[in-house]
């Protein structure tokens, strides 16, 4: 039953992306501003959750989780118009005298999987980049940081259309294969151990899905 419901939600995301709504720079900036406002609104809840899960102090939370995320949002909003502007390049002799440009387009529906040690910023920071690029995003939070996962779920479901950003939790060993075996994502971003990274890569390889892996960090 879960698998069927999830597949239906993922197909709705694909349909939403295909409408072209996420292509608009104004839409992307609006979503990033909503996220920034929500982080400030729930700042104390985030502190409490990270202390409950990992015993992080407010100072550590700000430096390694909240502050770095807000900085990423501001940077993305400030540079978004420059990033998406078509870049003129030289035209080869075969196509002369036409003009040539590189256009940067979103990939589609992307999956982001976070680790337990920085469960807030390592889930939402990649999402900022994905939204800035015009993608729809599926977030898989760490089951080993349940309090933080609960706060993120509350934020995401309050501010985003589930066809645009979809939050999911649960046992990653079960949830991630179910999603990746039933739906072809356009990119997967995983942070965690090398062993699990290999498993994610194998799941993606069956459909030639590009993957970004951030593995084995020991700070």
């Amino acid at each position: 039953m879960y698998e069927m419901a999830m597949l239906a939600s993922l197909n709705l995301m694909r349909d939403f992306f295909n409408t072209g709504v996420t292509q608009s720079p104004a839409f992307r900036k609006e979503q990033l501003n909503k996220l920034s406002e929500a982080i400030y609104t729930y700042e104390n809840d985030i502190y409490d959750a990270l202390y409950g899960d990992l015993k992080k102090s407010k100072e550590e939370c700000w430096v390694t989780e909240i502050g770095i995320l807000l900085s990423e949002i501001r940077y993305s909003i400030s540079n978004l118009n420059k990033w998406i502007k078509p870049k003129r390049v030289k035209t080869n002799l075969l196509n002369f005298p036409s003009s040539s440009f590189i256009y940067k387009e979103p990939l589609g529906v992307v999956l982001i999987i976070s680790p337990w040690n920085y469960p807030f910023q390592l889930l939402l920071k990649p999402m900022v980049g994905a939204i800035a690029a015009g993608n729809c995003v599926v977030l898989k939070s760490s089951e080993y940081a349940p309090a933080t996962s609960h706060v993120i779920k509350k934020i995401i479901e309050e501010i985003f259309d589930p066809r645009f950003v979809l939050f999911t939790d649960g046992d990653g060993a079960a949830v991630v294969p179910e999603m990746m075996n039933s739906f072809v994502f356009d990119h997967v971003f995983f942070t965690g151990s090398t062993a699990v990274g290999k498993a994610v890569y194998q799941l993606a390889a069956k459909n030639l899905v590009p993957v970004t892996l951030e593995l084995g960090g020991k700070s």
Side-chain angles (χ1 to χ4, degrees):
M1 183 66 70
Y2 171 85
E3 187 173 347
M4 292 178 62
M6 176 56 69
L7 180 58
S9 296
L10 293 172
N11 285 330
L12 286 174
M13 297 185 80
R14 175 72 68 202
D15 292 341
F16 184 75
F17 175 77
N18 288 337
T19 65
V21 172
T22 65
Q23 296 271 5
S24 163
F27 175 85
R28 304 182 204 186
K29 291 179 182 179
E30 179 187 3
Q31 306 312 309
L32 292 174
N33 278 316
K34 284 163 61 174
L35 178 60
S36 179
E37 291 169 5
I39 291 169
Y40 282 114
T41 299
Y42 289 99
E43 185 175 348
N44 287 327
D45 293 340
I46 298 166
Y47 287 140
D48 292 341
L50 287 167
Y51 183 81
D53 286 333
L54 297 162
K55 296 296 183 286
K56 291 189 177 185
S57 67
K58 285 188 176 181
E59 292 77 14
E60 183 180 0
C61 290
W62 178 261
V63 172
T64 66
E65 303 264 9
I66 298 174
I68 195 171
L69 177 59
L70 291 171
S71 177
E72 184 82 0
I73 294 171
R74 289 192 297 269
Y75 183 80
S76 296
I77 292 173
S78 297
N79 289 277
L80 195 145
N81 287 341
K82 180 176 67 176
W83 291 341
I84 66 176
K85 184 179 180 180
K87 179 182 178 182
R88 185 162 188 164
V89 295
K90 292 181 179 180
T91 301
N92 59 34
L93 185 61
L94 179 64
N95 293 301
F96 188 81
S98 63
S99 299
S100 300
F101 297 86
I102 296 175
Y103 287 86
K104 299 168 185 176
E105 297 182 347
L107 293 170
V109 182
V110 303
L111 171 63
I112 299 171
I113 308 166
S114 80
W116 61 270
N117 55 344
Y118 294 96
F120 188 76
Q121 71 104 336
L122 285 181
L123 184 64
L124 299 187
K125 195 164 179 278
M127 183 186 74
V128 170
I131 290 176
N135 298 291
C136 293
V137 185
V138 178
L139 299 172
K140 168 59 183 76
S141 66
S142 173
E143 62 269 34
Y144 299 109
T148 306
S149 181
H150 177 76
V151 174
I152 295 173
K153 182 177 189 292
K154 187 175 182 179
I155 291 172
I156 295 302
E157 294 184 351
E158 182 176 301
I159 65 174
F160 292 130
D161 186 325
R163 296 174 302 168
F164 176 56
V165 179
L166 181 67
F167 177 90
T168 185
D169 51 12
D171 181 7
V175 172
V176 172
E178 284 179 3
M179 286 193 293
M180 295 184 68
N181 284 326
S182 61
F183 182 83
V184 180
F185 289 95
D186 298 290
H187 196 91
V188 177
F189 189 105
F190 170 81
T191 305
S193 71
T194 301
V196 178
K198 288 179 179 179
V200 171
Y201 213 128
Q202 288 173 343
L203 287 167
K206 291 186 293 184
N207 292 301
L208 300 179
V209 176
V211 180
T212 299
L213 299 176
E214 183 185 3
L215 304 178
K218 296 292 185 290
S219 297

